Amino acid sequence: MSSKQSQPMQKRSSGFSAHKPALPELLTNPPLRKGMHPIQVVRGMRDLLPSDQPYWKQMEDMAERMAMDYGYARIDTPLIEDYSLFIRGVGKVTDIVEKEMFHWETPGGEHVGLRPESTASVARAYVQHGMLNLPQPVKLWNIGPMFRYDRPQAGRFRQFYQASFECIGEADPIVDAQLIIVSWNLLKGLGLDPTVKVNSLGNPESRLNYKNALVSYFRGKRSQLSEEDKKRLVKNPLRLLDSKEPNMQELKAEAPQMVDWLDEESKAHFMRVLEYLDEVGVPYQLDPYLVRGLDYYTKTVFEWFANSNDQELAQSALGGGGRYDLLIELLGGRPTPGAGFSLGLDRIASRLKELNPTPPAKDEVDIFLAQLGEMGRKKALGLFEEFRTAGLLVGEAFAKSSLKAQMEIANRRKAKWTIVIGQKEVLDGTAIVRDMDSGTQEIIDAKKAVHEMKKKLGLHTQ
Ligand code: AMP
């Protein structure tokens, strides 16, 4: 590295390692030079910190509960897939595949990519494992990270998380409606009050006719289109409808609408979906310009939005889905209908945080084990294992020696009882049990500590 290059680095991080004690050689290979700046997370990626975890646990639990209630089995597919899966499945001229994929050639010459979404992977697994031979429909769900090399901004990351539900092997519109109901219940179960926008893209033929009508409409407005939208007009005209250009709202208002181009069967299918939603009372909005960004959708499409004070959040989708009757065939399987949805957990987590900025602490315990002196500490270490093995919720702060500091931790962790073991108790074979509410104390036989505490907690003892 030239001295020119290294200077700004030194300036930026001056003082970082100045007061650090020398690190063992193992940790400094390559050597940590004075002036090196700490390594940061890669752009567009982020850490989900312990303070984020309660929200994530809430979302995972709710997704799992919905999967149980509606009979979806979990499937986990790899994060890396053959690149051609996404070209065929998601579509070559979609933004996702064209601009946003992390993909590379392996040393063995395979062209692979990080999954930008999971529907194509689940459909691949359905075909590969012969799930066509199982009773249909096959209902699968998954949760995990997706990767898109998009420009990072609020609510948009390069690694983000989705919970997805797919129902493969059934063409009936009740499936589309029930998927909307499942996603609605999932979001409602988390305390959100979202709105769903729905539309139908029809069959490939009506979609093509509509596309042509759209192209001829926008050709007439070509001079008013941005450079990006001019490209869309040629490559993927449906995507013009979710262009974020300021004048697009106005241009769209006069544009042809898909409903007027729907084939009879798709129209009837869509009407049935809406009737089912009415039956259950799902508050939906018809959006004739909702197209979704992926090629594989046919007929029903939908997208969820938050009702939020945060404008950024209110405008960005929490998730979406739709029917994809051609996908399985595109991937080399027998023609098989399917439908599904994906919810964006990062954006839902932001909404949950907005609603409940201080999630309940998850480190509460029933019993806290305090110790005094080296003998007490040793005894408490063993006792902790006994309690833990017996399935009791127990806390400790073995590295602390002051009883006052340990009591403070016991209080913070809302312990109902604190057990104190000092030198005298070790020699007597006893333990002091302090009721944290009343402050009263009693002495128990240390050998029977687990049994005694189970009794106090009203748990079944043998
Ligand atoms: P999509 O199928 O592309 O509409 O994605 C479904 C949901 O995933 C979206 O509604 C978002 O909530 C979420 N999502 C998509 N891309 C990103 C991203 N780059 N960062 C965070 N969340 C995302």
Side-chain angles (χ1 to χ4, degrees), residues 15 22 37 61 77 84 89 134 158 211 284 298 301 332 417 423:
H37 55 80
D61 287 351
T77 59
S84 60
L134 300 175
R158 288 181 174 170
K211 221 187 243 181
Y284 62 85
T298 47
V301 285
W417 287 279
Q423 184 171 336

Side-chain angles (χ1 to χ4, degrees), residues 148 155-157 160 162 292 294 303 317-320 342 344 347:
R148 294 184 194 172
R156 198 194 289 159
F157 307 95
F160 61 99
Q162 287 185 339
R292 312 260 309 126
L294 308 113
E303 212 151 66
L318 296 179
S342 295
R347 292 189 193 160

Side-chain angles (χ1 to χ4, degrees), residues 317-332:
L318 296 179
R323 180 157 279 287
Y324 45 80
D325 288 347
L326 303 173
L327 178 62
I328 302 280
E329 198 179 352
L330 267 174
L331 299 181

